């Protein structure tokens, strides 16, 4: 699979999260999907949907600062705007197996002010 294809799949996964399209995200993840962040280390697929999915579909907006493909991974830095206007920046590493996401690692950044 080309890096361009993985970049597009990654972008669509974030769009599906913002719209609450769980069916798309479930299809995008491998059965043995793992999720880690500073708050949730090593969640399996079911735990991800239990703990993280309730935050989806709430009108967030992702503005992609960079998306870089390296080997089987896509590195994504984004600025997310919440419906209340609060903004923050994070970086995630999405590891692919074929055309599906096998692992997501989230590295929290910082809150942004309106002028940043």
């Amino acid at each position: 699979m080309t890096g361009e294809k993985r970049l597009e799949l990654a972008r669509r996964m974030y769009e599906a999260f913002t719209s609450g399209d769980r069916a798309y995200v479930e299809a995008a993840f491998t059965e043995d999907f793992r999720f880690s962040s500073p708050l949730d280390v090593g969640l399996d697929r079911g735990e991800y949907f239990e703990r993280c999915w309730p935050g989806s579909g709430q009108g967030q907006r992702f503005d992609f600062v960079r998306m870089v493909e390296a080997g089987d991974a896509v590195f994504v830095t984004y600025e997310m705007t919440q419906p209340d206007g609060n903004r923050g920046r994070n970086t995630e590493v999405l590891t692919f197996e074929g055309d599906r996401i096998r692992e997501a690692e989230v590295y929290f950044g910082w809150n942004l002010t309106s002028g940043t």
Side-chain angles (χ1 to χ4, degrees):
M1 167 178 294
T2 67
E4 188 172 309
K5 173 91 169 155
R6 285 191 176 126
L7 294 174
E8 180 58 29
L9 290 171
R11 183 180 305 276
R12 289 195 329 219
M13 192 272 303
Y14 287 97
E15 292 168 354
F17 183 87
T18 64
S19 69
D21 185 352
R22 182 170 171 159
Y24 181 86
V25 174
E26 284 187 15
F29 290 169
T30 62
E31 293 304 314
D32 61 345
F33 171 79
R34 303 297 286 186
F35 175 90
S36 291
S37 77
L39 301 177
D40 299 297
V41 178
L43 298 181
D44 66 22
R45 181 185 170 103
E47 292 167 325
Y48 167 83
F49 283 109
E50 181 181 312
R51 290 193 42 88
C52 303
W53 190 255
S56 71
Q58 297 181 12
Q60 310 92 325
R61 187 181 79 238
F62 289 96
D63 295 308
F64 299 103
V65 175
R66 70 183 58 84
M67 296 182 82
V68 178
E69 188 256 347
D72 291 337
V74 172
F75 294 79
V76 182
T77 300
Y78 58 81
E79 294 178 355
M80 182 175 63
T81 304
Q82 300 285 354
D84 64 5
N86 286 325
R87 298 174 59 228
R89 178 183 263 213
N90 293 334
T91 294
E92 300 190 13
V93 180
L94 306 176
T95 303
F96 282 78
E97 184 174 284
D99 62 352
R100 297 175 73 199
I101 300 167
R102 186 184 75 233
E103 185 176 359
E105 300 173 41
V106 179
Y107 298 92
F108 293 157
W110 51 87
N111 292 330
L112 300 171
T113 60
S114 59
T116 308

